C-alpha cells in the first residue's frame, strides 16, 4: 500500500474514534446495549483492504491452465484481474489458459466500495513451448519366402523395417511397383530381379535391396522305338527334353520298377497299351510328358465299346470309345446297322442327323484275326427342340409385372426360365415382377428325353418414375493446394447420369460417376452433385465441404463404406496439422476419442461419421457418409 493511502486510512480511523467517544459520553445510559452495537459496527467499518493473490502452477508448457487465488484481506467486494496476455476477469478466484509461450505480468485490484488496493507481479507466469517429439530414424529391410524358383514365380515380401515407417514403396525390378506393406508379386519371365523397398515414416526414409531369381523349368519329351509289336516287346526310349534337365524318372506304365537313366530300354512281357511317362527336373522344377506303347498277341481281339451318350435330339453327336482287348490294331465301325463301314478310326465321333433307333457294330482286327460285337438298338435319336417365347409388357416402371408365354417347338417336357435378376421358374408360362430398375436379359431352356435347347436372350427394360436420391463422399476433405480429391457417388434410386460442381460456381465440372478433381486455390468450397435417371433429376449441396490451405485439416478414410449389418469398420485418421486430440461421432449415438478406432454398426442405415481434430491452436471437422444394409 502506498504512503498516501496509508495516511488517508489513518485519518479516517482517528475520525471514527472521535465520533465513538462523543456518542459514548452522551448516551451513557444506553452504554451496555447500544454501545455494544456501535462498537461492532465501528469494528466493521474500520477493517482496511489489503490486496494479495497466488497462482498455481507458475510455469509449464503451452497450453498452460493457471488457477489464481485471491488472498486479499479486508472483505473486498469486487476484483479486477489482468493476466498480462490481453485477457481480464472479474471473478474472485479465476482460472485462465495461456496458449502462447512467454513471461506474463499479472495484476489484481480489489475494492470494497469505499477503498481499493492493487498489486502487480512482474513476470509472474512463465509459459514454455511444448517439446517436439523426436522423429525416429527409419531402417528399411524385408524378407521373402523364396529367393528363387520356376516361372511363374510368386514371392511373398514381408516388411521388417524399423523406426516406425508409415508408407512403403516397392519396386520389384520388372517394372511393377506396390505401396502395400507386405505385398505378393508374380514373376512371369525368367531373369534375376533387383527388388528395392523405400520405407518412410513421414519425415525420413531409407531403402533396402535384394535379388530374386526366376528361372524356366525343363520341357519333357522323348521318343520310343518301336512303339508297337508282338509281346515280349523291347522298346528303346530316348530323352529329347529341353531346358537342361538334371534328373530323369521313367514310368513304363506296366507296374515295373521306375528308371532314372536318361535313355533306358524296357521289355513289355505281355500284350497291352501302356502309357509311358517321363518326368524331368532341374533347379526350377519338374515337367512331365507321356506317350503310349502297344504290344499284342497273335490271337483274335475281343471287341467292345462304349459311347458318350445313347440318346438325344437330332443332330446328335456321339463319341465312341473302343474297349477291345487282345491287341487290336484295326477297327471297322457300322453306326446305323446298314452293313456298311462308316469309320476305321479307333475312337470315332459320329453325328446322327435323322430321328430313329440305331444298332452299332464294331469289328476289331490285329492283322491275323477279327472279333466283332453288335449292340442292337443302341442309339435313339429324337426330334430336335427349339426354345422360343413371348412376353408382355417388355418395358415399364418398377414394380413391373411381366407375363411370359412359351412358344417352343419339339415337344418340350421341362422349362427353366432365367428372368435376368437372379430369379428363375420351372413353369411353362410364368409371370414375374421386377422390383428394381434395369435392363434384364431373359432366357428359356426347354428339355425333353432327347436333350435341351436354350433361347437367345430377350430384354425387359424396367425404369424408375421417381428421381434418384443423390449423395456422395470423398477420400479427403482438406489439405494443401494443389489438392487432388477422389469423389465417390453414394446416390440411391437408380441414377444413370451425374453432374458435379466442385467449387460452387454453378458450372458443371464433371459428368463421371466417381470423378477425381484438383483444387489449386486455397479456400472453402461448396460441392454439388446432381443425379438423374431417364425421367427425373435431384441434387445435393454440401456447403464448405472442401477446405484447401494451411493449418489443421481433419480427414480420414474407412476400410469399407457400405455392407451388410453387422458391419465392422476400421477408421483411419489422415488429418494434417499435428492434431493432439480426436473426437469421433459414428452417427449411431456412439463416440470415440481413439485416433484410429474400430466400430461395429449393428443396425442397417445410412450414417454420417464426424471427426473433430484439435490441438493447442484450433480444431477442424470432417463429415463423410457411411451406408449399411441388411
Amino acid at each position: 500500500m502506498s504512503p498516501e493511502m496509508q495516511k488517508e486510512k489513518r485519518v479516517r480511523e482517528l475520525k471514527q474514534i472521535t465520533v465513538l467517544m462523543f456518542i459514548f459520553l452522551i448516551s451513557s445510559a444506553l452504554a451496555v446495549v447500544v454501545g455494544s452495537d456501535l462498537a461492532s459496527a465501528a469494528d466493521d467499518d474500520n477493517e482496511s483492504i489489503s490486496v494479495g493473490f497466488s497462482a498455481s502452477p507458475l510455469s509449464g508448457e503451452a497450453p498452460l491452465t493457471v488457477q489464481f487465488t485471491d488472498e486479499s484481506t479486508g472483505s473486498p467486494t469486487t476484483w479486477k484481474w489482468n493476466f498480462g496476455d490481453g485477457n481480464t476477469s472479474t471473478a474472485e478466484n479465476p482460472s485462465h489458459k495461456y496458449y502462447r509461450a512467454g513471461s506474463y505480468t499479472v495484476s489484481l485490484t480489489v475494492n470494497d466500495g469505499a477503498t481499493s488496493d492493487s498489486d502487480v507481479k512482474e513476470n509472474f507466469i512463465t509459459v514454455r513451448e511444448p517439446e517436439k517429439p523426436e522423429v525416429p530414424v527409419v531402417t528399411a529391410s524385408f524378407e521373402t519366402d523364396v529367393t528363387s524358383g520356376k516361372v511363374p514365380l510368386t514371392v511373398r515380401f514381408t516388411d521388417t523395417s524399423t523406426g516406425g515407417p508409415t508408407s512403403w514403396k516397392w519396386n520389384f525390378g520388372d517394372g511393377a511397383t506396390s505401396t502395400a506393406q507386405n505385398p505378393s508379386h508374380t514373376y512371369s519371365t525368367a531373369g534375376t530381379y533387383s527388388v528395392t523397398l523405400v520405407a518412410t515414416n513421414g519425415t525420413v526414409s531409407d531403402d533396402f535391396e535384394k535379388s530374386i531369381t526366376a528361372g524356366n523349368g525343363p520341357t519333357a519329351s522323348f521318343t520310343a522305338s518301336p512303339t508297337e509289336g508282338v509281346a515280349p516287346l523291347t522298346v528303346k526310349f530316348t530323352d529329347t527334353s529341353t531346358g537342361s534337365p538334371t534328373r530323369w524318372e521313367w514310368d513304363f506304365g506296366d507296374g515295373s520298377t521306375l528308371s532314372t537313366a536318361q535313355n533306358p530300354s524296357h521289355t513289355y512281357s505281355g500284350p497291352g497299351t501302356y502309357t509311358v511317362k517321363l518326368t524331368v527336373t532341374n533347379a526350377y522344377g519338374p515337367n512331365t510328358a507321356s506317350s503310349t506303347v502297344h504290344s499284342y498277341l497273335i490271337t483274335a481281339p475281343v471287341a467292345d465299346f462304349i459311347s458318350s451318350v445313347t440318346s438325344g435330339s437330332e443332330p446328335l453327336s456321339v463319341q465312341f470309345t473302343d474297349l477291345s482287348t487282345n491287341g487290336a490294331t484295326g477297327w471297322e465301325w457300322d453306326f446305323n446297322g446298314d452293313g456298311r463301314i462308316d469309320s476305321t478310326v479307333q475312337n470315332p465321333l459320329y453325328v446322327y442327323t435323322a430321328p430313329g433307333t440305331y444298332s452299332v457294330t464294331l469289328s476289331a482286327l490285329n492283322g491275323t484275326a477279327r472279333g466283332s460285337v453288335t449292340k442292337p438298338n443302341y442309339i435313339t435319336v429324337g426330334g430336335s427342340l427349339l426354345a422360343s417365347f413371348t412376353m408382355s409388357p417388355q418395358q415399364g416402371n418398377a414394380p413391373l409385372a411381366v407375363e411370359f408365354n412359351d412358344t417352343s417347338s419339339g415337344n418340350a417336357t421341362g422349362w427353366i426360365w432365367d428372368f435376368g435378376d437372379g430369379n428363375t421358374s420351372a413353369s411353362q408360362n410364368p409371370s414375374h415382377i421386377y422390383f428394381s430398375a434395369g435392363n434384364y436379359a431373359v432366357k428359356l431352356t426347354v428339355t425333353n428325353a432327347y436333350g435341351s435347347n436354350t433361347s437367345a436372350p430377350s430384354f425387359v427394360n424396367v425404369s424408375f418414375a421417381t428421381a434418384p436420391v443423390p449423395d456422395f463422399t470423398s477420400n479427403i476433405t482438406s489439405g494443401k493446394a494443389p489438392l487432388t480429391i477422389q469423389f465417390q457417388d453414394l446416390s440411391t434410386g437408380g441414377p444413370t447420369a451425374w453432374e458435379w460442381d466442385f467449387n460452387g460456381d454453378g458450372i458443371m465440372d464433371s459428368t463421371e460417376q466417381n470423378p477425381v478433381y484438383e483444387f489449386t486455390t486455397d479456400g472453402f468450397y461448396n460441392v454439388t452433385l446432381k443425379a438423374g435417371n431417364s425421367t427425373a433429376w435431384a441434387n445435393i449441396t454440401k456447403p464448405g465441404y472442401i477446405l484447401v490451405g494451411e493449418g489443421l485439416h481433419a480427414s480420414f478414410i474407412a476400410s469399407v463404406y457400405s455392407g451388410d449389418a453387422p458391419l465392422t469398420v476400421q477408421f483411419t485418421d489422415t488429418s494434417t496439422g499435428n492434431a493432439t486430440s480426436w473426437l469421433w461421432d459414428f452417427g449411431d449415438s456412439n463416440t470415440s476419442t481413439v485416433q484410429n478406432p474400430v466400430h461395429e454398426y449393428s443396425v442397417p442405415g445410412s450414417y454420417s461419421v464426424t471427426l473433430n481434430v484439435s490441438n493447442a491452436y484450433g480444431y477442424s471437422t470432417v463429415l463423410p457418409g457411411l451406408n449399411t444394409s441388411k
Side-chain angles (χ1 to χ4, degrees), residues 532-565:
N533 54 31
S534 59
T535 57
W537 288 79
N539 63 69
I540 183 175
T541 299
K542 295 188 179 182
Y545 183 68
I546 300 298
L547 169 61
V548 182
E550 298 284 343
L552 184 63
H553 302 295
S555 65
F556 68 91
I557 59 175
S559 57
V560 294
Y561 288 91
S562 64
D564 292 337

mmCIF file of all heavy atoms in Angstrom, residues 532-565:
data_model
loop_
_atom_site.group_PDB
_atom_site.id
_atom_site.type_symbol
_atom_site.label_atom_id
_atom_site.label_comp_id
_atom_site.label_asym_id
_atom_site.label_seq_id
_atom_site.Cartn_x
_atom_site.Cartn_y
_atom_site.Cartn_z
ATOM 1 N N GLY A 532 -29.418 -38.163 -61.901
ATOM 2 C CA GLY A 532 -30.662 -38.322 -62.639
ATOM 3 C C GLY A 532 -30.793 -39.699 -63.255
ATOM 4 O O GLY A 532 -29.823 -40.444 -63.388
ATOM 5 N N ASN A 533 -32.030 -40.049 -63.608
ATOM 6 C CA ASN A 533 -32.287 -41.242 -64.409
ATOM 7 C C ASN A 533 -33.013 -40.812 -65.675
ATOM 8 O O ASN A 533 -32.983 -39.635 -66.048
ATOM 9 C CB ASN A 533 -33.072 -42.300 -63.607
ATOM 10 C CG ASN A 533 -34.352 -41.746 -63.001
ATOM 11 O OD1 ASN A 533 -34.970 -40.854 -63.563
ATOM 12 N ND2 ASN A 533 -34.738 -42.269 -61.836
ATOM 13 N N SER A 534 -33.693 -41.708 -66.321
ATOM 14 C CA SER A 534 -34.306 -41.360 -67.604
ATOM 15 C C SER A 534 -35.514 -40.446 -67.452
ATOM 16 O O SER A 534 -36.005 -39.911 -68.440
ATOM 17 C CB SER A 534 -34.727 -42.642 -68.327
ATOM 18 O OG SER A 534 -35.652 -43.381 -67.536
ATOM 19 N N THR A 535 -35.999 -40.244 -66.191
ATOM 20 C CA THR A 535 -37.221 -39.460 -66.018
ATOM 21 C C THR A 535 -37.071 -38.264 -65.088
ATOM 22 O O THR A 535 -37.851 -37.322 -65.184
ATOM 23 C CB THR A 535 -38.345 -40.349 -65.464
ATOM 24 O OG1 THR A 535 -37.915 -40.937 -64.222
ATOM 25 C CG2 THR A 535 -38.686 -41.454 -66.445
ATOM 26 N N ALA A 536 -36.124 -38.257 -64.165
ATOM 27 C CA ALA A 536 -36.072 -37.163 -63.187
ATOM 28 C C ALA A 536 -34.659 -36.969 -62.671
ATOM 29 O O ALA A 536 -33.812 -37.855 -62.767
ATOM 30 C CB ALA A 536 -37.027 -37.454 -62.022
ATOM 31 N N TRP A 537 -34.417 -35.746 -62.093
ATOM 32 C CA TRP A 537 -33.131 -35.373 -61.518
ATOM 33 C C TRP A 537 -33.336 -34.845 -60.100
ATOM 34 O O TRP A 537 -34.408 -34.335 -59.770
ATOM 35 C CB TRP A 537 -32.457 -34.276 -62.358
ATOM 36 C CG TRP A 537 -31.938 -34.738 -63.669
ATOM 37 C CD1 TRP A 537 -32.645 -34.960 -64.799
ATOM 38 C CD2 TRP A 537 -30.570 -35.053 -63.981
ATOM 39 N NE1 TRP A 537 -31.833 -35.394 -65.816
ATOM 40 C CE2 TRP A 537 -30.538 -35.446 -65.341
ATOM 41 C CE3 TRP A 537 -29.384 -35.023 -63.269
ATOM 42 C CZ2 TRP A 537 -29.378 -35.816 -65.976
ATOM 43 C CZ3 TRP A 537 -28.218 -35.386 -63.919
ATOM 44 C CH2 TRP A 537 -28.217 -35.792 -65.242
ATOM 45 N N ALA A 538 -32.287 -34.966 -59.267
ATOM 46 C CA ALA A 538 -32.259 -34.351 -57.938
ATOM 47 C C ALA A 538 -30.815 -33.977 -57.633
ATOM 48 O O ALA A 538 -29.879 -34.522 -58.235
ATOM 49 C CB ALA A 538 -32.811 -35.296 -56.872
ATOM 50 N N ASN A 539 -30.610 -33.028 -56.699
ATOM 51 C CA ASN A 539 -29.248 -32.614 -56.379
ATOM 52 C C ASN A 539 -29.063 -32.455 -54.889
ATOM 53 O O ASN A 539 -30.033 -32.333 -54.129
ATOM 54 C CB ASN A 539 -28.891 -31.304 -57.117
ATOM 55 C CG ASN A 539 -29.766 -30.146 -56.700
ATOM 56 O OD1 ASN A 539 -29.669 -29.664 -55.584
ATOM 57 N ND2 ASN A 539 -30.649 -29.703 -57.594
ATOM 58 N N ILE A 540 -27.791 -32.464 -54.479
ATOM 59 C CA ILE A 540 -27.402 -32.247 -53.088
ATOM 60 C C ILE A 540 -26.177 -31.341 -53.077
ATOM 61 O O ILE A 540 -25.286 -31.478 -53.920
ATOM 62 C CB ILE A 540 -27.097 -33.581 -52.359
ATOM 63 C CG1 ILE A 540 -26.751 -33.326 -50.882
ATOM 64 C CG2 ILE A 540 -25.985 -34.334 -53.056
ATOM 65 C CD1 ILE A 540 -26.557 -34.609 -50.083
ATOM 66 N N THR A 541 -26.164 -30.369 -52.159
ATOM 67 C CA THR A 541 -25.029 -29.469 -51.986
ATOM 68 C C THR A 541 -24.514 -29.588 -50.560
ATOM 69 O O THR A 541 -25.295 -29.521 -49.597
ATOM 70 C CB THR A 541 -25.420 -28.008 -52.278
ATOM 71 O OG1 THR A 541 -25.852 -27.908 -53.633
ATOM 72 C CG2 THR A 541 -24.226 -27.080 -52.054
ATOM 73 N N LYS A 542 -23.190 -29.764 -50.407
ATOM 74 C CA LYS A 542 -22.560 -29.818 -49.090
ATOM 75 C C LYS A 542 -21.720 -28.553 -48.938
ATOM 76 O O LYS A 542 -20.635 -28.438 -49.522
ATOM 77 C CB LYS A 542 -21.698 -31.073 -48.952
ATOM 78 C CG LYS A 542 -22.528 -32.362 -49.007
ATOM 79 C CD LYS A 542 -21.724 -33.596 -48.678
ATOM 80 C CE LYS A 542 -22.592 -34.847 -48.716
ATOM 81 N NZ LYS A 542 -21.831 -36.069 -48.340
ATOM 82 N N PRO A 543 -22.234 -27.563 -48.155
ATOM 83 C CA PRO A 543 -21.533 -26.267 -48.030
ATOM 84 C C PRO A 543 -20.201 -26.433 -47.311
ATOM 85 O O PRO A 543 -20.087 -27.180 -46.325
ATOM 86 C CB PRO A 543 -22.516 -25.406 -47.214
ATOM 87 C CG PRO A 543 -23.822 -26.136 -47.250
ATOM 88 C CD PRO A 543 -23.482 -27.578 -47.417
ATOM 89 N N GLY A 544 -19.185 -25.703 -47.810
ATOM 90 C CA GLY A 544 -17.874 -25.712 -47.168
ATOM 91 C C GLY A 544 -17.302 -27.095 -47.021
ATOM 92 O O GLY A 544 -16.561 -27.369 -46.084
ATOM 93 N N TYR A 545 -17.628 -28.005 -47.954
ATOM 94 C CA TYR A 545 -17.240 -29.410 -47.811
ATOM 95 C C TYR A 545 -15.740 -29.607 -47.966
ATOM 96 O O TYR A 545 -15.155 -30.476 -47.322
ATOM 97 C CB TYR A 545 -17.985 -30.228 -48.862
ATOM 98 C CG TYR A 545 -17.740 -31.713 -48.775
ATOM 99 C CD1 TYR A 545 -18.219 -32.456 -47.696
ATOM 100 C CD2 TYR A 545 -17.040 -32.393 -49.768
ATOM 101 C CE1 TYR A 545 -18.003 -33.819 -47.611
ATOM 102 C CE2 TYR A 545 -16.828 -33.751 -49.683
ATOM 103 C CZ TYR A 545 -17.309 -34.453 -48.611
ATOM 104 O OH TYR A 545 -17.102 -35.799 -48.526
ATOM 105 N N ILE A 546 -15.088 -28.826 -48.818
ATOM 106 C CA ILE A 546 -13.657 -28.966 -49.068
ATOM 107 C C ILE A 546 -12.933 -27.736 -48.538
ATOM 108 O O ILE A 546 -13.305 -26.594 -48.829
ATOM 109 C CB ILE A 546 -13.361 -29.128 -50.569
ATOM 110 C CG1 ILE A 546 -14.071 -30.378 -51.111
ATOM 111 C CG2 ILE A 546 -11.858 -29.217 -50.813
ATOM 112 C CD1 ILE A 546 -13.626 -31.670 -50.485
ATOM 113 N N LEU A 547 -11.877 -27.942 -47.728
ATOM 114 C CA LEU A 547 -11.014 -26.872 -47.232
ATOM 115 C C LEU A 547 -9.629 -27.069 -47.835
ATOM 116 O O LEU A 547 -9.003 -28.110 -47.646
ATOM 117 C CB LEU A 547 -10.929 -26.908 -45.697
ATOM 118 C CG LEU A 547 -9.851 -26.013 -45.061
ATOM 119 C CD1 LEU A 547 -10.094 -24.549 -45.406
ATOM 120 C CD2 LEU A 547 -9.805 -26.204 -43.556
ATOM 121 N N VAL A 548 -9.172 -26.058 -48.571
ATOM 122 C CA VAL A 548 -7.851 -26.098 -49.192
ATOM 123 C C VAL A 548 -7.001 -25.023 -48.553
ATOM 124 O O VAL A 548 -7.372 -23.838 -48.546
ATOM 125 C CB VAL A 548 -7.939 -25.871 -50.714
ATOM 126 C CG1 VAL A 548 -6.545 -25.964 -51.327
ATOM 127 C CG2 VAL A 548 -8.871 -26.891 -51.346
ATOM 128 N N GLY A 549 -5.859 -25.389 -47.981
ATOM 129 C CA GLY A 549 -4.972 -24.402 -47.383
ATOM 130 C C GLY A 549 -4.197 -24.962 -46.221
ATOM 131 O O GLY A 549 -4.281 -26.148 -45.885
ATOM 132 N N GLU A 550 -3.394 -24.082 -45.586
ATOM 133 C CA GLU A 550 -2.555 -24.456 -44.469
ATOM 134 C C GLU A 550 -3.412 -24.635 -43.222
ATOM 135 O O GLU A 550 -4.583 -24.277 -43.184
ATOM 136 C CB GLU A 550 -1.491 -23.390 -44.218
ATOM 137 C CG GLU A 550 -0.531 -23.181 -45.360
ATOM 138 C CD GLU A 550 0.508 -24.293 -45.452
ATOM 139 O OE1 GLU A 550 0.674 -25.022 -44.455
ATOM 140 O OE2 GLU A 550 1.119 -24.434 -46.521
ATOM 141 N N GLY A 551 -2.810 -25.153 -42.131
ATOM 142 C CA GLY A 551 -3.489 -25.240 -40.857
ATOM 143 C C GLY A 551 -3.878 -26.667 -40.532
ATOM 144 O O GLY A 551 -3.430 -27.626 -41.153
ATOM 145 N N LEU A 552 -4.754 -26.782 -39.545
ATOM 146 C CA LEU A 552 -5.219 -28.080 -39.076
ATOM 147 C C LEU A 552 -6.391 -28.517 -39.954
ATOM 148 O O LEU A 552 -7.412 -27.834 -40.033
ATOM 149 C CB LEU A 552 -5.662 -27.979 -37.614
ATOM 150 C CG LEU A 552 -6.090 -29.269 -36.928
ATOM 151 C CD1 LEU A 552 -4.924 -30.236 -36.858
ATOM 152 C CD2 LEU A 552 -6.618 -28.975 -35.532
ATOM 153 N N HIS A 553 -6.214 -29.682 -40.621
ATOM 154 C CA HIS A 553 -7.240 -30.160 -41.541
ATOM 155 C C HIS A 553 -7.630 -31.575 -41.134
ATOM 156 O O HIS A 553 -6.815 -32.488 -41.148
ATOM 157 C CB HIS A 553 -6.730 -30.176 -42.978
ATOM 158 C CG HIS A 553 -6.256 -28.836 -43.459
ATOM 159 N ND1 HIS A 553 -7.094 -27.757 -43.611
ATOM 160 C CD2 HIS A 553 -5.020 -28.391 -43.799
ATOM 161 C CE1 HIS A 553 -6.406 -26.715 -44.042
ATOM 162 N NE2 HIS A 553 -5.144 -27.077 -44.155
ATOM 163 N N ALA A 554 -8.912 -31.741 -40.793
ATOM 164 C CA ALA A 554 -9.398 -33.073 -40.425
ATOM 165 C C ALA A 554 -9.710 -33.878 -41.673
ATOM 166 O O ALA A 554 -10.297 -33.364 -42.623
ATOM 167 C CB ALA A 554 -10.647 -32.956 -39.552
ATOM 168 N N SER A 555 -9.323 -35.154 -41.677
ATOM 169 C CA SER A 555 -9.697 -36.073 -42.748
ATOM 170 C C SER A 555 -9.487 -37.490 -42.257
ATOM 171 O O SER A 555 -8.723 -37.728 -41.317
ATOM 172 C CB SER A 555 -8.882 -35.829 -44.014
ATOM 173 O OG SER A 555 -7.523 -36.122 -43.801
ATOM 174 N N PHE A 556 -10.180 -38.424 -42.861
ATOM 175 C CA PHE A 556 -9.998 -39.827 -42.507
ATOM 176 C C PHE A 556 -10.515 -40.701 -43.636
ATOM 177 O O PHE A 556 -11.204 -40.235 -44.546
ATOM 178 C CB PHE A 556 -10.703 -40.175 -41.187
ATOM 179 C CG PHE A 556 -12.206 -40.145 -41.241
ATOM 180 C CD1 PHE A 556 -12.933 -41.284 -41.546
ATOM 181 C CD2 PHE A 556 -12.901 -38.963 -40.996
ATOM 182 C CE1 PHE A 556 -14.308 -41.260 -41.588
ATOM 183 C CE2 PHE A 556 -14.270 -38.932 -41.036
ATOM 184 C CZ PHE A 556 -14.983 -40.062 -41.326
ATOM 185 N N ILE A 557 -10.160 -41.979 -43.567
ATOM 186 C CA ILE A 557 -10.665 -42.978 -44.502
ATOM 187 C C ILE A 557 -11.247 -44.134 -43.698
ATOM 188 O O ILE A 557 -10.946 -44.304 -42.515
ATOM 189 C CB ILE A 557 -9.563 -43.487 -45.461
ATOM 190 C CG1 ILE A 557 -8.392 -44.110 -44.640
ATOM 191 C CG2 ILE A 557 -9.073 -42.388 -46.365
ATOM 192 C CD1 ILE A 557 -7.334 -44.738 -45.526
ATOM 193 N N ALA A 558 -12.115 -44.904 -44.362
ATOM 194 C CA ALA A 558 -12.728 -46.075 -43.738
ATOM 195 C C ALA A 558 -12.387 -47.306 -44.566
ATOM 196 O O ALA A 558 -12.222 -47.231 -45.777
ATOM 197 C CB ALA A 558 -14.248 -45.902 -43.646
ATOM 198 N N SER A 559 -12.257 -48.471 -43.871
ATOM 199 C CA SER A 559 -11.909 -49.705 -44.577
ATOM 200 C C SER A 559 -13.008 -50.105 -45.556
ATOM 201 O O SER A 559 -12.736 -50.642 -46.619
ATOM 202 C CB SER A 559 -11.671 -50.835 -43.566
ATOM 203 O OG SER A 559 -12.816 -51.032 -42.747
ATOM 204 N N VAL A 560 -14.271 -49.847 -45.197
ATOM 205 C CA VAL A 560 -15.403 -50.034 -46.118
ATOM 206 C C VAL A 560 -16.369 -48.888 -45.918
ATOM 207 O O VAL A 560 -16.396 -48.262 -44.857
ATOM 208 C CB VAL A 560 -16.144 -51.378 -45.876
ATOM 209 C CG1 VAL A 560 -15.236 -52.556 -46.219
ATOM 210 C CG2 VAL A 560 -16.621 -51.501 -44.433
ATOM 211 N N TYR A 561 -17.199 -48.586 -46.939
ATOM 212 C CA TYR A 561 -18.186 -47.518 -46.839
ATOM 213 C C TYR A 561 -19.617 -48.049 -46.907
ATOM 214 O O TYR A 561 -20.568 -47.304 -46.701
ATOM 215 C CB TYR A 561 -17.976 -46.475 -47.934
ATOM 216 C CG TYR A 561 -16.757 -45.633 -47.702
ATOM 217 C CD1 TYR A 561 -15.511 -46.017 -48.250
ATOM 218 C CD2 TYR A 561 -16.802 -44.492 -46.933
ATOM 219 C CE1 TYR A 561 -14.385 -45.270 -48.034
ATOM 220 C CE2 TYR A 561 -15.673 -43.730 -46.715
ATOM 221 C CZ TYR A 561 -14.460 -44.118 -47.270
ATOM 222 O OH TYR A 561 -13.332 -43.379 -47.046
ATOM 223 N N SER A 562 -19.781 -49.348 -47.160
ATOM 224 C CA SER A 562 -21.109 -49.940 -47.176
ATOM 225 C C SER A 562 -20.965 -51.437 -47.006
ATOM 226 O O SER A 562 -19.903 -52.009 -47.221
ATOM 227 C CB SER A 562 -21.847 -49.612 -48.481
ATOM 228 O OG SER A 562 -21.172 -50.190 -49.586
ATOM 229 N N GLY A 563 -22.077 -52.081 -46.593
ATOM 230 C CA GLY A 563 -22.071 -53.518 -46.405
ATOM 231 C C GLY A 563 -23.255 -53.945 -45.569
ATOM 232 O O GLY A 563 -24.062 -53.117 -45.115
ATOM 233 N N ASP A 564 -23.368 -55.261 -45.354
ATOM 234 C CA ASP A 564 -24.472 -55.806 -44.584
ATOM 235 C C ASP A 564 -24.202 -55.650 -43.091
ATOM 236 O O ASP A 564 -23.087 -55.848 -42.621
ATOM 237 C CB ASP A 564 -24.678 -57.293 -44.910
ATOM 238 C CG ASP A 564 -25.182 -57.481 -46.344
ATOM 239 O OD1 ASP A 564 -25.758 -56.533 -46.905
ATOM 240 O OD2 ASP A 564 -24.984 -58.584 -46.867
ATOM 241 N N ALA A 565 -25.273 -55.301 -42.314
ATOM 242 C CA ALA A 565 -25.171 -55.240 -40.864
ATOM 243 C C ALA A 565 -25.198 -56.667 -40.308
ATOM 244 O O ALA A 565 -25.895 -57.532 -40.843
ATOM 245 C CB ALA A 565 -26.313 -54.421 -40.288
#
